[in-house]
């Protein structure tokens, strides 16, 4: 009862083909391949996003000081 012979594997494969059919197995393998491709594409996109750092955003406080001050902010005019 140690290892399975070639006849055991042939019987197992025949039963699997009878249960699932050739079309369902090929559809399943196609779906698995599409999932693997999508995963690889996602990993590639993550690597390219990590390589390009975003520029540092700063706020220039002096530009606002040179503008006009509004005193009517928050007041209601009816």
């Amino acid at each position: 009862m140690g290892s399975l012979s070639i006849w055991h594997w042939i019987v197992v494969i025949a039963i699997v083909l009878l249960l699932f059919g050739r079309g369902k197995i090929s559809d399943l393998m196609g779906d698995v391949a599409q999932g693997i491709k999508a995963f690889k594409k996602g990993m590639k996109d993550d690597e390219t996003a990590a390589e390009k750092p975003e520029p540092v955003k700063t706020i220039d406080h002096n530009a606002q000081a040179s503008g006009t001050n509004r005193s009517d902010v928050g007041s209601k005019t009816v």
Side-chain angles (χ1 to χ4, degrees), residues 67-78:
T68 59
N69 292 334
R70 292 186 51 178
S71 61
D72 61 341
V73 176
S75 65
K76 291 185 179 180
T77 55
V78 181

Side-chain angles (χ1 to χ4, degrees), residues 4 7-17:
L4 297 176
W7 293 108
H8 290 109
W9 286 112
I10 290 174
V11 170
V12 169
I13 291 171
I15 291 173
V16 168
L17 285 175

Side-chain angles (χ1 to χ4, degrees), residues 40-76:
K40 286 182 179 180
K41 182 181 177 187
M43 293 299 290
K44 184 179 176 183
D45 290 344
D46 286 344
E47 288 176 2
T48 57
E51 290 175 1
K52 296 180 181 177
E54 292 185 22
V56 178
K57 297 178 182 177
T58 59
I59 299 174
D60 189 13
H61 295 288
N62 294 335
Q64 288 221 345
S66 63
T68 59
N69 292 334
R70 292 186 51 178
S71 61
D72 61 341
V73 176
S75 65
K76 291 185 179 180

